[in-house]
């Protein structure tokens, strides 16, 4: 492009000289060579931004939705997209997603529970040599099961005992509010689901979320697992 301007025969010698100086001063040759790549990069950046915003919007949804048919796989996928930068290059992600029926629920709330558990898993694996996050889903009788397993620091009896207490955190002041698991517990209870935790210090943790395929009119079942469930299965 720059060469075309310089080759313009209508320019007087002075104008051509001034143009040459301007081209040199503003580094226009370099810019014109670089511009295609820059525009392509910008386009890619904008596409990624669009993707992030669309996912955020899907993720946040309206806070006040009624019960709907929720696609759990969709929810997990959009949660993972939100966390992409946290997971990328550091954590090996293993997805074992089965074909699932819809569950009655609130997509934004369920996404919140997936997010809370996965973010905790990432934090727990920050000193793990080969961090591995495994997410498995399957249908089990009249429930959908989502199992999220990490090979992070794990939890001892004392942490497991307080895990769902509001404001319980082992993170330094200012880093964790200690509300993640308490909110998760309430959401799953509200969905008439069950939440089980298996964990071993130094080995890892597994959170199992069971969501019923049908809402019952009767009172909520208690979602907290029996104490023996916590250490029942090896992680
Ligand atoms: N996967 C996990 N592995 C090990 N410890 C965990 C795991 N998940 C939760 N914990 C423990 O449970 C505590 C409470 O978790 P919770 O999500 O409620 O709060 P938090 O992560 O500390 O803060 P935030 O409110 O930001 O989520 C954590 O501080 C951590 O000690
Ligand atoms: Mg948390």
């Amino acid at each position: 492009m720059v060469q075309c301007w310089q080759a313009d025969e209508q320019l007087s010698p002075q104008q051509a000289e001034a143009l040459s100086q301007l081209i040199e001063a503003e580094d226009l040759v370099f810019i014109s060579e670089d511009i295609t790549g820059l525009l392509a990069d910008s386009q890619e950046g904008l596409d990624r931004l669009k993707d992030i915003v669309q996912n955020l919007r899907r993720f946040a949804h309206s806070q006040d939705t009624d019960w709907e048919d929720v696609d759990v796989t969709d929810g997990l996928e959009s949660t993972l997209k939100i966390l992409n930068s946290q997971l990328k290059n550091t954590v090996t992600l293993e997805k074992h997603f089965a074909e699932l029926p819809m569950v009655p629920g609130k997509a934004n709330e369920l996404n919140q529970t997936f997010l809370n558990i996965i973010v905790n898993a990432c934090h727990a694996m920050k000193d793990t040599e080969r961090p591995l996050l495994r997410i498995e889903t399957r249908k089990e009788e009249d429930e959908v099961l989502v199992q999220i397993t990490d090979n992070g620091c794990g939890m001892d009896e004392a942490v497991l005992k307080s895990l769902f207490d509001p404001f319980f955190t082992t993170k330094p002041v200012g880093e964790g509010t200690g509300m993640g698991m308490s909110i998760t517990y309430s959401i799953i209870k509200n969905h008439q689901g069950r939440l089980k935790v298996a964990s071993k210090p130094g080995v890892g943790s597994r959170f199992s979320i069971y969501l019923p395929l049908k809402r019952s009119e009767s009172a909520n079942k208690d979602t907290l697992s029996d104490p023996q469930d916590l250490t029942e299965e090896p992680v």
Side-chain angles (χ1 to χ4, degrees):
M1 190 204 292
V2 173
Q3 283 76 6
C4 288
W5 298 338
Q6 284 173 310
D8 190 335
E9 285 163 8
Q10 289 174 358
L11 293 179
S12 67
Q14 290 91 329
Q15 284 171 327
E17 176 57 25
L19 182 61
S20 288
Q21 282 175 10
L22 186 69
I23 287 168
E24 178 129 9
E26 300 296 335
D27 217 358
L28 289 182
V29 175
F30 173 74
I31 291 175
S32 80
E33 280 167 10
D34 227 34
I35 197 115
T36 321
L38 283 174
L39 286 174
D41 285 352
S42 303
Q43 182 67 49
E44 197 193 313
L46 287 171
D47 286 344
R48 284 178 59 193
L49 240 128
K50 191 178 94 186
D51 223 34
I52 290 169
V53 171
Q54 272 177 349
N55 273 305
L56 266 169
R57 286 175 64 184
R58 218 163 96 194
F59 182 81
H61 213 239
S62 147
Q63 282 299 310
D64 225 11
T65 47
D66 281 328
W67 295 98
E68 53 190 339
D69 286 336
V70 179
D71 185 331
V72 169
T73 314
D74 246 25
L76 284 166
E77 292 286 12
S78 67
T79 306
L80 288 169
K81 272 194 188 143
I82 299 276
L83 289 172
N84 199 20
S85 60
Q86 277 210 30
L87 295 170
K88 218 166 152 187
N89 301 330
T90 51
V91 175
T92 305
L93 177 64
E94 263 185 27
K95 291 193 283 187
H96 300 269
F97 290 176
E99 188 98 12
L100 295 178
M102 299 285 203
V103 297
K106 300 186 179 189
N108 60 317
E109 290 190 358
L110 289 176
N111 289 350
Q112 183 72 54
T113 70
F114 303 147
L115 181 83
N116 290 347
I117 293 173
I118 297 170
V119 167
N120 281 347
C122 291
H123 288 155
M125 294 189 292
K126 71 179 189 329
D127 293 328
T128 303
E129 206 176 314
R130 288 204 183 89
L132 177 70
L133 180 69
R134 187 187 148 95
I135 307 180
E136 188 177 345
T137 65
R138 59 177 181 271
K139 180 177 170 292
E140 278 200 349
E141 294 178 18
D142 51 358
E143 291 172 312
V144 156
L145 168 62
V146 178
Q147 232 166 21
I148 300 172
T149 310
D150 67 67
N151 61 351
C153 60
M155 289 173 270
D156 61 19
E157 290 286 321
V159 173
L160 281 172
K161 215 163 146 261
S162 307
L163 180 61
F164 299 103
D165 293 349
F167 304 111
F168 171 77
T169 181
T170 58
K171 291 171 188 167
V173 179
E175 265 188 37
T177 64
M179 287 304 290
M181 283 300 102
S182 151
I183 292 169
T184 297
Y185 176 85
S186 312
I187 291 174
I188 293 176
K189 191 180 173 86
N190 199 24
H191 279 76
Q192 300 179 337
R194 297 180 292 129
L195 180 59
K196 286 190 181 186
V197 187
S199 188
K200 232 187 199 161
V203 179
S205 308
R206 177 170 53 221
F207 287 77
S208 305
I209 305 169
Y210 296 84
L211 297 166
L213 296 178
K214 281 210 170 72
R215 274 183 78 71
S216 93
E217 293 308 313
S218 56
N220 280 338
K221 289 187 251 172
D222 193 357
T223 50
L224 248 193
S225 44
D226 296 332
Q228 70 266 25
D229 285 338
L230 303 177
T231 50
E232 197 182 41
E233 304 159 78
V235 178

